[in-house]
Amino acid sequence: MSTTQSERLRGLLEPLVAARDLDLEEIEVTPAGKRRVLRIVVDSDDGVQLDECAELSREASQVLDDTDAMGGAPYTLEVTSPGADRPLTEPRHYRRAVGRLVKAQLHEGGELVARIIAVDDEGLDLEVPGVKGRKPTARRVAFAEIAKARVEIEFNRKQDKWRDDRAEQNDESQEEA
């Protein structure tokens, strides 16, 4: 997709996405036989519901039909949320992954697998699992130190104390409101 087409699509679609309090994460046009696929990836701090994707798809389709942004060739429109294995590239991605295990490649070399405890404007507070029965350790990592990172999928994770404490705090704050 050309930069001009990408910028034009972003200009058309970003207001629709923002009106739903969503973030426009990615716009991708790929060939699929004689057609093309326009994939719009959206996200939010609260996640994205299927109904939101469907409504946004209808609105985007109407806007795209009213313009020549996609040209005359046929295309398929997909509105989706990012997959669990998407790269973490923005501070908001890390914020949305608090409590999750991440694998990060560091610029200085080396790999780090740790659980995100907190995120601020500068970086992450992590809990690095202990090895061979040792207790976990805390570590601070600045965003500038991270070359690339993504969430590690945990299939057999047991409910942990951190999540129990967090849920209890949320319950208390809702009772006060």
Side-chain angles (χ1 to χ4, degrees):
M1 171 169 62
S2 71
T3 303
T4 305
Q5 183 185 29
S6 176
E7 290 170 357
R8 183 150 187 229
L9 288 170
R10 186 167 285 279
L12 286 170
L13 299 171
E14 205 150 33
L16 297 176
V17 173
R20 297 187 165 282
D21 291 325
L22 299 171
D23 295 314
L24 181 57
E25 295 291 345
E26 184 180 350
I27 298 173
E28 178 182 58
V29 178
T30 55
K34 294 180 182 181
R35 303 176 74 81
R36 296 169 293 159
V37 175
L38 169 58
R39 183 171 296 113
I40 303 168
V41 181
V42 296
D43 201 5
S44 80
D45 286 349
D46 299 323
V48 181
Q49 301 300 314
L50 185 58
D51 289 345
E52 289 175 304
C53 287
E55 291 168 9
L56 181 58
S57 179
R58 284 189 288 277
E59 290 177 11
S61 179
Q62 185 63 50
V63 167
L64 293 168
D65 288 349
D66 292 345
T67 68
D68 66 346
M70 288 299 293
Y75 67 93
T76 300
L77 175 63
E78 292 180 5
V79 177
T80 186
S81 60
D85 63 342
R86 72 118 176 254
L88 304 175
T89 58
E90 301 286 332
R92 69 177 178 264
H93 298 160
Y94 291 94
R95 188 177 62 248
R96 292 171 185 160
V98 168
R100 307 281 306 269
L101 195 65
V102 295
K103 181 188 243 181
Q105 300 290 325
L106 304 177
H107 284 295
E108 63 192 31
E111 183 176 272
L112 176 64
V113 177
R115 191 164 312 282
I116 300 176
I117 302 303
V119 179
D120 59 29
D121 293 339
E122 305 299 319
L124 315 169
D125 291 326
L126 302 170
E127 181 182 78
V128 181
V131 179
K132 296 184 180 178
R134 293 192 175 122
K135 289 187 176 187
T137 57
R139 179 165 178 186
R140 175 77 181 169
V141 177
F143 290 123
E145 296 177 63
I146 302 170
K148 62 181 181 176
R150 67 180 63 237
V151 169
E152 286 286 283
I153 306 299
E154 298 178 85
F155 293 107
N156 296 326
R157 181 172 176 206
K158 295 179 179 146
Q159 188 74 4
D160 60 29
K161 182 178 180 347
W162 183 84
R163 286 198 181 269
D164 291 341
D165 290 346
R166 182 89 170 181
E168 190 173 297
Q169 289 172 354
N170 287 339
D171 289 345
E172 289 172 1
S173 64
Q174 287 177 358
E175 287 174 7
E176 292 173 7

